[in-house]
Amino acid sequence: MTWQASPRATAVALAGNLAAGVFTVFGLVATSDVLASLFAAGPTPDRVWAALPSLLLVAAATGLRGALLAGAGWAQARLKPLVERLAETRLFELTTRVELAAFDDHDFHNAMRRARDSGVPDTANVVETTIAAVTGAVGVLASAVALGLLHPALIPLSVAGAAVLAIRTGQMSLAALIQTMNRLYEAGLYFGDYLTFCRLARERLPAPPAALSPAAESAPPRLLTAENVTFTYPDADRPALSGVSVTVARGEVIALVGENGSGKTTLAKLLAGLYQPQEGTIRWDGVDLDAFDGDALRRRISVIAQDHTRWPLTVRENIVMGRPLEEDRLAAASAAAGADEVVARLPDGYDALLDRRFRGGHDLSGGQWQRIAVARGFYRDAALVIFDEPTSALDARAEHALFERIRGHADGRAIVLITHRLASVRYADRIYVLDGGTIAEQGTHAELMERDGLYAGLYELQASAYHQRVP
């Protein structure tokens, strides 16, 4: 992984430490010559003058060793963030490619959290301690080599002094090596969590789809159908959906309504291709979703979730979010979501930073953030747009205006609307009422009210609250 992160920095770090070890040996041997000259018989000035060449060699070896270690340290400091970024990138690539249902598996989800919270940060520690271990091992080896070169002549006092210095250098390197190995073992345990999750994630990657023609992948879809789909979450004792069939045509607005836990959001995730049904099929114009490439499928779909992400970025970046910037399209999406009113109140407009932790940042209310999230969904200009409780934080006037815009946005698109506020779905082209993971009723608002079933009961229950007199 370190070589993939930066071959140059890896080579410099390793070569620098190895070369430093060579100069350590050279310096210890040259020290013996210095001591031999100083302990020789004769006048002191002559002995000092005789030791000067060896002393210069020791100084040069020490300086070169220091420079090599400094270069290796620079490479190591540069390598640590690169390796951590590579590990994080691989983690993101794997987590975005596995099926969403994998995260409903507690074991998989916990493995991902350990890899993210401990494994990725400790990749840098593994790099640091590994290089430190190499440095310590080189130091011990250099001292051993120096002792081997000095051993045949240990009787002279000068050589004995150099041997003592080599032994002390080896002891220090050995102590540092032992401490480093302990740190490396600890960091390796966390890094093992990262490697374990990568293995688990690769086992859960979906099979490559069958190749479709570019025309089939890029053609605007006309009809989305789900036939008898059944889906059960991992470790669940009953299906979240059972034998559900729905149809969404281009230009239509359909609504999914029902009580909590009835399967509305699960069905929306199946239609978006985020979940794969265990039984039944979901098709775009007769082509199974499994046949589409994941990126091609995601380009067709936009999801505005209730628990949208509040990115600490500018308004423009929050709306565009990875798509090519088109100012006209940005303005149209903002106007459709009512986010243009939010932008107009900000002193920096679309360049306003939406995070108070940064200087000049701004904080938005829940309703204002919801408008930004809706604008993000509109900006994608997808063939299928799924709104999951898009007005939960909006006031009544803003909610009514947004639903009117959603109806206007349906031109040329398929709209799936999930909401508990049944007054907002009266003008949907078709309403599916879910109960216990099955379709209990379907039809227009008028048809369902005439049927006087589950939908009519829920609608009248909500309507009655506005007519009750407060005692």
Side-chain angles (χ1 to χ4, degrees), residues 223-245:
L223 185 65
L224 173 63
T225 58
E227 299 179 0
N228 297 318
V229 296
T230 297
F231 179 81
T232 305
Y233 287 99
D235 301 327
D237 56 359
R238 58 184 297 271
L241 293 173
S242 179
V244 172
S245 298

Side-chain angles (χ1 to χ4, degrees), residues 95-113:
T95 53
T96 53
R97 289 170 57 198
V98 298
E99 296 181 357
L100 186 61
F103 294 96
D104 295 305
D105 184 338
H106 296 299
D107 293 336
F108 183 86
H109 187 261
N110 290 336
M112 185 275 294
R113 291 179 63 88

Side-chain angles (χ1 to χ4, degrees), residues 157-389:
L157 184 60
S158 60
V159 178
V164 170
L165 182 60
I167 292 173
R168 294 196 61 181
T169 302
Q171 287 178 335
M172 290 170 39
S173 298
L174 182 60
L177 176 61
I178 294 174
Q179 293 178 354
T180 301
M181 293 302 295
N182 289 333
R183 291 168 50 206
L184 179 59
Y185 175 76
E186 181 180 358
L189 293 177
Y190 293 111
F191 185 63
D193 291 336
Y194 172 82
L195 296 178
T196 299
F197 172 76
C198 290
R199 177 180 55 79
L200 290 175
R202 291 189 184 96
E203 293 174 355
R204 290 179 176 262
L205 292 178
L212 289 178
S213 65
E217 286 196 347
S218 60
R222 297 182 299 275
L223 185 65
L224 173 63
T225 58
E227 299 179 0
N228 297 318
V229 296
T230 297
F231 179 81
T232 305
Y233 287 99
D235 301 327
D237 56 359
R238 58 184 297 271
L241 293 173
S242 179
V244 172
S245 298
V246 299
T247 301
V248 189
R250 186 168 62 184
E252 281 188 337
V253 176
I254 74 160
L256 305 179
V257 302
E259 297 179 295
N260 290 334
S262 58
K264 303 183 299 298
T265 300
T266 302
L267 177 56
K269 291 178 179 178
L270 286 170
L271 295 176
L274 299 176
Y275 287 163
Q276 300 296 324
Q278 282 95 18
E279 297 179 17
T281 58
I282 300 177
R283 295 187 176 94
W284 276 108
D285 295 333
V287 180
D288 199 296
L289 288 189
D290 290 339
F292 286 92
D293 175 71
D295 292 336
L297 184 62
R298 283 186 284 271
R299 284 193 293 268
R300 293 178 169 221
I301 300 170
S302 176
V303 179
I304 296 93
Q306 181 179 359
D307 53 344
H308 50 268
T309 303
R310 303 181 179 187
W311 299 103
L313 304 170
T314 64
V315 176
R316 178 181 286 103
E317 291 167 332
N318 260 281
I319 295 176
V320 173
M321 193 46 62
R323 311 292 291 181
L325 175 60
E326 298 178 19
E327 293 293 346
D328 294 341
R329 186 167 153 195
L330 173 63
S334 299
D340 55 342
E341 300 175 5
V342 178
V343 174
R345 296 190 183 100
L346 297 172
D348 297 321
Y350 285 104
D351 294 319
L353 182 61
L354 301 182
D355 196 317
R356 293 293 297 273
R357 293 175 297 179
F358 299 98
R359 179 179 297 178
H362 302 272
D363 194 16
L364 301 181
S365 67
Q368 289 173 324
W369 266 113
Q370 201 149 31
R371 296 187 187 194
I372 298 296
V374 173
R376 184 186 306 158
F378 283 158
Y379 186 83
R380 289 182 62 85
D381 195 24
L384 172 64
V385 184
I386 299 174
F387 295 90
D388 190 353
E389 293 289 352

Side-chain angles (χ1 to χ4, degrees), residues 139-157:
V140 173
L141 181 62
S143 300
V145 171
L147 281 174
L149 294 175
L150 296 173
H151 177 70
L154 280 180
I155 295 177
L157 184 60

